[in-house]
PDB file of all heavy atoms in Angstrom:
ATOM      1  N   LEU A 235      16.724 -32.848  81.392  1.00 98.00           N
ATOM      2  CA  LEU A 235      15.821 -31.807  81.881  1.00 98.00           C
ATOM      3  C   LEU A 235      14.373 -32.295  81.858  1.00 98.00           C
ATOM      4  O   LEU A 235      13.607 -32.024  82.791  1.00 98.00           O
ATOM      5  CB  LEU A 235      15.967 -30.544  81.023  1.00 98.00           C
ATOM      6  CG  LEU A 235      17.290 -29.787  81.154  1.00 98.00           C
ATOM      7  CD1 LEU A 235      17.387 -28.689  80.096  1.00 98.00           C
ATOM      8  CD2 LEU A 235      17.452 -29.184  82.553  1.00 98.00           C
ATOM      9  N   ALA A 236      14.006 -32.999  80.809  1.00 98.00           N
ATOM     10  CA  ALA A 236      12.652 -33.552  80.723  1.00 98.00           C
ATOM     11  C   ALA A 236      12.405 -34.558  81.853  1.00 98.00           C
ATOM     12  O   ALA A 236      11.321 -34.581  82.467  1.00 98.00           O
ATOM     13  CB  ALA A 236      12.441 -34.224  79.368  1.00 98.00           C
ATOM     14  N   LYS A 237      13.402 -35.367  82.160  1.00 98.00           N
ATOM     15  CA  LYS A 237      13.268 -36.343  83.243  1.00 98.00           C
ATOM     16  C   LYS A 237      13.106 -35.659  84.591  1.00 98.00           C
ATOM     17  O   LYS A 237      12.328 -36.117  85.443  1.00 98.00           O
ATOM     18  CB  LYS A 237      14.492 -37.273  83.266  1.00 98.00           C
ATOM     19  CG  LYS A 237      14.575 -38.242  82.104  1.00 98.00           C
ATOM     20  CD  LYS A 237      15.864 -39.062  82.177  1.00 98.00           C
ATOM     21  CE  LYS A 237      16.008 -39.992  80.987  1.00 98.00           C
ATOM     22  NZ  LYS A 237      17.307 -40.743  81.029  1.00 98.00           N
ATOM     23  N   ILE A 238      13.838 -34.569  84.798  1.00 98.00           N
ATOM     24  CA  ILE A 238      13.729 -33.829  86.062  1.00 98.00           C
ATOM     25  C   ILE A 238      12.318 -33.287  86.216  1.00 98.00           C
ATOM     26  O   ILE A 238      11.707 -33.389  87.285  1.00 98.00           O
ATOM     27  CB  ILE A 238      14.766 -32.699  86.112  1.00 98.00           C
ATOM     28  CG1 ILE A 238      16.183 -33.279  86.217  1.00 98.00           C
ATOM     29  CG2 ILE A 238      14.494 -31.755  87.286  1.00 98.00           C
ATOM     30  CD1 ILE A 238      17.286 -32.241  86.035  1.00 98.00           C
ATOM     31  N   ALA A 239      11.781 -32.684  85.148  1.00 98.00           N
ATOM     32  CA  ALA A 239      10.413 -32.156  85.202  1.00 98.00           C
ATOM     33  C   ALA A 239       9.422 -33.262  85.530  1.00 98.00           C
ATOM     34  O   ALA A 239       8.540 -33.100  86.388  1.00 98.00           O
ATOM     35  CB  ALA A 239      10.067 -31.497  83.876  1.00 98.00           C
ATOM     36  N   LYS A 240       9.562 -34.400  84.864  1.00 98.00           N
ATOM     37  CA  LYS A 240       8.632 -35.513  85.070  1.00 98.00           C
ATOM     38  C   LYS A 240       8.787 -36.122  86.461  1.00 98.00           C
ATOM     39  O   LYS A 240       7.801 -36.458  87.126  1.00 98.00           O
ATOM     40  CB  LYS A 240       8.847 -36.578  83.996  1.00 98.00           C
ATOM     41  CG  LYS A 240       7.831 -37.710  84.045  1.00 98.00           C
ATOM     42  CD  LYS A 240       8.021 -38.655  82.872  1.00 98.00           C
ATOM     43  CE  LYS A 240       6.971 -39.764  82.885  1.00 98.00           C
ATOM     44  NZ  LYS A 240       7.133 -40.682  81.725  1.00 98.00           N
ATOM     45  N   ARG A 241      10.032 -36.257  86.913  1.00 98.00           N
ATOM     46  CA  ARG A 241      10.292 -36.871  88.219  1.00 98.00           C
ATOM     47  C   ARG A 241       9.632 -36.071  89.336  1.00 98.00           C
ATOM     48  O   ARG A 241       9.078 -36.646  90.288  1.00 98.00           O
ATOM     49  CB  ARG A 241      11.801 -36.967  88.445  1.00 98.00           C
ATOM     50  CG  ARG A 241      12.196 -37.575  89.781  1.00 98.00           C
ATOM     51  CD  ARG A 241      13.598 -38.111  89.774  1.00 98.00           C
ATOM     52  NE  ARG A 241      14.598 -37.134  89.394  1.00 98.00           N
ATOM     53  CZ  ARG A 241      15.335 -37.204  88.281  1.00 98.00           C
ATOM     54  NH1 ARG A 241      15.155 -38.185  87.422  1.00 98.00           N
ATOM     55  NH2 ARG A 241      16.250 -36.280  88.010  1.00 98.00           N
ATOM     56  N   HIS A 242       9.653 -34.761  89.226  1.00 98.00           N
ATOM     57  CA  HIS A 242       9.110 -33.922  90.298  1.00 98.00           C
ATOM     58  C   HIS A 242       7.728 -33.365  89.952  1.00 98.00           C
ATOM     59  O   HIS A 242       7.173 -32.586  90.737  1.00 98.00           O
ATOM     60  CB  HIS A 242      10.083 -32.787  90.595  1.00 98.00           C
ATOM     61  CG  HIS A 242      11.451 -33.276  90.975  1.00 98.00           C
ATOM     62  ND1 HIS A 242      11.681 -34.061  92.099  1.00 98.00           N
ATOM     63  CD2 HIS A 242      12.661 -33.119  90.375  1.00 98.00           C
ATOM     64  CE1 HIS A 242      12.967 -34.342  92.173  1.00 98.00           C
ATOM     65  NE2 HIS A 242      13.585 -33.799  91.142  1.00 98.00           N
ATOM     66  N   GLU A 243       7.214 -33.753  88.793  1.00 98.00           N
ATOM     67  CA  GLU A 243       5.871 -33.349  88.352  1.00 98.00           C
ATOM     68  C   GLU A 243       5.702 -31.831  88.413  1.00 98.00           C
ATOM     69  O   GLU A 243       4.753 -31.302  88.992  1.00 98.00           O
ATOM     70  CB  GLU A 243       4.788 -34.063  89.182  1.00 98.00           C
ATOM     71  CG  GLU A 243       4.826 -35.576  89.025  1.00 98.00           C
ATOM     72  CD  GLU A 243       3.737 -36.262  89.812  1.00 98.00           C
ATOM     73  OE1 GLU A 243       3.258 -35.698  90.816  1.00 98.00           O
ATOM     74  OE2 GLU A 243       3.335 -37.375  89.415  1.00 98.00           O
ATOM     75  N   ILE A 244       6.652 -31.143  87.790  1.00 98.00           N
ATOM     76  CA  ILE A 244       6.655 -29.684  87.769  1.00 98.00           C
ATOM     77  C   ILE A 244       7.089 -29.213  86.386  1.00 98.00           C
ATOM     78  O   ILE A 244       7.975 -29.806  85.776  1.00 98.00           O
ATOM     79  CB  ILE A 244       7.592 -29.121  88.862  1.00 98.00           C
ATOM     80  CG1 ILE A 244       7.450 -27.604  88.986  1.00 98.00           C
ATOM     81  CG2 ILE A 244       9.040 -29.510  88.605  1.00 98.00           C
ATOM     82  CD1 ILE A 244       8.182 -27.024  90.189  1.00 98.00           C
ATOM     83  N   ALA A 245       6.436 -28.189  85.862  1.00 98.00           N
ATOM     84  CA  ALA A 245       6.893 -27.595  84.616  1.00 98.00           C
ATOM     85  C   ALA A 245       8.238 -26.922  84.858  1.00 98.00           C
ATOM     86  O   ALA A 245       8.454 -26.309  85.910  1.00 98.00           O
ATOM     87  CB  ALA A 245       5.867 -26.589  84.105  1.00 98.00           C
ATOM     88  N   LEU A 246       9.115 -27.025  83.892  1.00 98.00           N
ATOM     89  CA  LEU A 246      10.499 -26.569  84.080  1.00 98.00           C
ATOM     90  C   LEU A 246      10.944 -25.786  82.859  1.00 98.00           C
ATOM     91  O   LEU A 246      10.791 -26.241  81.719  1.00 98.00           O
ATOM     92  CB  LEU A 246      11.398 -27.781  84.313  1.00 98.00           C
ATOM     93  CG  LEU A 246      12.877 -27.556  84.638  1.00 98.00           C
ATOM     94  CD1 LEU A 246      13.401 -28.727  85.474  1.00 98.00           C
ATOM     95  CD2 LEU A 246      13.720 -27.431  83.370  1.00 98.00           C
ATOM     96  N   VAL A 247      11.488 -24.600  83.094  1.00 98.00           N
ATOM     97  CA  VAL A 247      12.053 -23.758  82.028  1.00 98.00           C
ATOM     98  C   VAL A 247      13.536 -23.547  82.347  1.00 98.00           C
ATOM     99  O   VAL A 247      13.876 -23.194  83.483  1.00 98.00           O
ATOM    100  CB  VAL A 247      11.327 -22.402  81.935  1.00 98.00           C
ATOM    101  CG1 VAL A 247      11.972 -21.522  80.871  1.00 98.00           C
ATOM    102  CG2 VAL A 247       9.852 -22.609  81.642  1.00 98.00           C
ATOM    103  N   SER A 248      14.378 -23.750  81.360  1.00 98.00           N
ATOM    104  CA  SER A 248      15.812 -23.666  81.609  1.00 98.00           C
ATOM    105  C   SER A 248      16.556 -23.160  80.392  1.00 98.00           C
ATOM    106  O   SER A 248      16.197 -23.476  79.251  1.00 98.00           O
ATOM    107  CB  SER A 248      16.359 -25.050  81.991  1.00 98.00           C
ATOM    108  OG  SER A 248      17.767 -25.020  82.142  1.00 98.00           O
TER     109      SER A 248
END
Side-chain angles (χ1 to χ4, degrees):
L235 291 171
K237 290 177 183 177
I238 291 170
K240 186 175 182 179
R241 179 159 56 246
H242 303 298
E243 298 182 335
I244 188 171
L246 185 152
V247 177
S248 175

